[in-house]
Amino acid sequence: MAVTIQDIANKVGMSIATVSRVLNQDPNLSVTEKTREKIYEAADQLGYKKKAFKHSLKKIAFMYWFTAQEELEDVYFQEIREGIHEQAEARSINLKLYTIEDGVEAVDPATEGILAIGRFTKGELDHLYQIAPNVVFIDTSPDEERFDSVKPNLSHIIERMVEFYVDNDHTSVGFIGGDDFDIDRDMRLPDIRETSFRLYADRFNVLEESAIFIGNRFSVEQGYKLMQQAINELGDNLPSAFCIASDTLAVGCLQALNERGFDLPSRVSLFSINDSHVSKYVSPPLTTYRIHTNVLCETAMDLMMERLVDKRTIAKTVYISSTPVFRKSTIERVERLEQGATL
C-alpha cells in the first residue's frame, strides 16, 4: 500500500499541511531545521517517494577553487561546475557554491558534505575536514586517506596515446604540457601527464627529452608559445607526432604549426585530451580523448551520497574511463583501437 502524507503526519505528530509543504520544499514555510529533518526521516522510514526527496535535507558545499581567468582558459572546469549543479538539481540537493574569493572560512558550519575542485592548501583542507569529514574531490586527490576523489585516468590516456603513435609507425614523439603546482611550498611540480609520457615513451623507445616542452598554464596562448619554441629549437628534427596535455594547449599548437606552414597531419600529428567543444572546429579537427565530465559529476555525487546516506567512512578513489575521438589531426590506422575504444 502506498504511503501517504497523512501517514507521515501521524508518525511525526504534525499537520498534513506542514508535512506537505516541507516535502515540497515550500520556500515560504518557516520551520526549524530539526522539524524538517524529522519529517524527512519519517518519510524515508515509511518509504514515501524516497528517490524524489530523501537527499533534499542534505546541505552540501561546492568548493569551486578557480579564478575567472582560469575557467575562461579551460572550459573543462566550467563543464564540471555546470555538471555538479545539474546533479544537485536532479537529486533535490541543497547545494551552496563557494569560490576562491569567498575563502574556506565562508562555508556554513552546518554543512554536511563538501564537493571540491581546484588546488587547496593543507590548512584549507584541514579546515574543510573539521567542518564536515564527508569530502569528495573532483579531478584531483589531495589526501586519499581522508577524502574521496573521482578523476579521469590521465596516466592511462597518455599510455594509449603513445601506443597509438608507435602502432602507426612514428619513431619520434614529442610532448607539450603544463606544470602542476604545490600551493603549500609555492613550487611547480611535474604534472601526471608529463611523468606518464616520460614513462611510456621510454618503454616504447620513443622518448626524446629535447622534444618535451612544459609551460606554467594550460591555455591557448601557452600552447602557441610552446609549439613555436619546439619549432625554433628542433628545426628539421621536430617530431612527427605530439601528445598534448589538453585541448586548449592543442589549439595553440595548431595555430603555431599552421602559421609556420607545416602539413598536418602528414608532417606532424597531434593527439590531445578533453574533447572540448572547439576541438571539432579547429583546422584540422583534433583527435582527442573525451573526458566524460557528466560521469565525473554523477560519480562525485554518488560518492557523497554513500557517505551521507549509507554512512561509509572508508575513503575511495575512483577513476573514470575516457574514449578516443579520432579526427583529422592524426593519420589513422586505428582498427585495433576502434574495436576497444574505451579505456
Side-chain angles (χ1 to χ4, degrees):
M1 182 180 296
V3 177
T4 66
I5 291 178
Q6 178 70 69
D7 296 327
I8 300 169
N10 291 340
K11 184 174 179 63
V12 297
M14 300 178 193
S15 70
I16 293 176
T18 298
V19 171
S20 176
R21 292 176 70 185
V22 166
L23 293 179
N24 286 290
Q25 301 179 60
D26 186 343
N28 298 315
L29 177 65
S30 179
V31 296
T32 66
E33 193 63 30
K34 184 177 180 180
T35 296
R36 290 183 186 276
E37 188 165 344
K38 185 177 181 180
I39 292 172
Y40 282 128
E41 288 181 351
D44 195 17
Q45 292 169 7
L46 292 171
Y48 177 80
K49 293 184 179 178
K50 187 175 182 180
K51 291 183 179 179
F53 76 89
K54 78 170 183 178
H55 305 316
S56 56
L57 75 163
K58 306 301 182 185
K59 289 187 175 180
I60 296 178
F62 180 30
M63 315 300 294
Y64 188 73
W65 243 231
F66 298 103
T67 65
Q69 181 63 32
E70 286 174 322
E71 182 181 67
L72 181 64
E73 289 178 348
D74 198 335
V75 296
Y76 170 73
F77 302 125
Q78 179 182 341
E79 290 177 4
I80 295 292
R81 176 173 56 81
E82 293 172 351
I84 288 297
H85 280 287
E86 288 173 3
Q87 283 291 319
E89 183 176 355
R91 304 188 193 209
S92 299
I93 287 173
N94 182 2
L95 187 75
K96 170 67 174 177
L97 175 69
Y98 297 92
T99 67
I100 196 169
E101 288 79 14
D102 298 321
V104 294
E105 296 78 11
V107 178
D108 185 348
T111 295
E112 298 172 84
I114 297 169
L115 297 166
I117 183 170
R119 295 191 182 102
F120 296 79
T121 66
K122 185 179 183 303
E124 289 173 328
L125 294 176
D126 291 342
H127 183 83
L128 296 178
Y129 190 72
Q130 289 175 358
I131 294 174
N134 304 310
V135 184
V136 179
F137 277 87
I138 305 166
D139 195 61
T140 61
S141 48
D143 187 340
E144 293 186 1
E145 293 183 359
R146 289 195 294 178
F147 308 129
D148 288 355
S149 63
V150 54
K151 53 188 179 179
N153 194 339
L154 295 177
S155 179
H156 199 37
I157 288 174
I158 294 296
E159 179 184 15
R160 294 296 300 277
M161 279 187 183
V162 175
E163 184 181 20
F164 168 80
Y165 281 140
V166 171
D167 286 350
N168 282 273
D169 303 321
H170 291 275
T171 57
S172 63
V173 181
F175 178 83
I176 287 180
D179 285 329
D180 201 352
F181 189 74
D182 187 326
I183 194 170
D184 285 302
R185 293 184 289 173
D186 192 27
M187 63 182 292
R188 298 200 170 272
L189 301 171
D191 178 76
I192 184 63
R193 286 159 285 195
E194 177 189 348
T195 56
S196 297
F197 175 79
R198 281 192 164 88
L199 172 65
Y200 296 117
D202 184 57
R203 180 178 298 177
F204 288 103
N205 200 32
V206 293
L207 177 61
E208 295 286 347
E209 284 290 338
S210 62
I212 298 175
F213 296 86
I214 306 300
N216 58 12
R217 299 167 71 181
F218 289 83
S219 67
V220 173
E221 180 184 12
Q222 186 76 87
Y224 177 83
K225 289 180 178 179
L226 291 174
M227 185 56 79
Q228 288 281 15
Q229 181 184 349
I231 295 169
N232 293 335
E233 291 185 9
L234 299 177
D236 292 340
N237 294 320
L238 190 74
S240 60
F242 278 89
C243 297
I244 313 294
S246 74
D247 285 355
T248 48
L249 286 171
V251 170
C253 291
L254 284 174
Q255 290 177 354
L257 290 165
N258 284 324
E259 263 187 27
R260 300 290 285 268
F262 282 86
D263 190 1
L264 305 173
S266 60
R267 172 58 182 88
V268 181
S269 293
L270 299 187
F271 205 145
S272 67
I273 302 174
N274 278 0
D275 193 31
S276 60
H277 297 307
V278 72
S279 62
K280 66 180 70 173
Y281 300 114
V282 292
S283 180
L286 276 169
T287 292
T288 181
Y289 264 93
R290 178 172 299 153
I291 303 298
H292 300 282
T293 55
N294 60 324
V295 181
L296 284 172
C297 295
E298 180 182 6
T299 304
M301 202 64 79
D302 287 342
L303 290 171
M304 181 58 68
M305 290 304 103
E306 287 178 16
R307 283 186 170 267
L308 295 179
V309 178
D310 301 331
K311 308 303 180 184
R312 175 176 55 79
T313 58
I314 302 299
K316 284 185 179 182
T317 298
V318 178
Y319 288 97
I320 303 300
S321 65
S322 303
T323 309
V325 180
F326 293 99
R327 300 192 180 99
K328 293 182 179 180
S329 70
T330 56
I331 293 176
E332 302 172 64
R333 184 176 64 78
V334 298
E335 296 86 354
R336 186 178 60 80
L337 277 177
E338 286 179 335
Q339 290 171 4
T342 301
L343 286 174

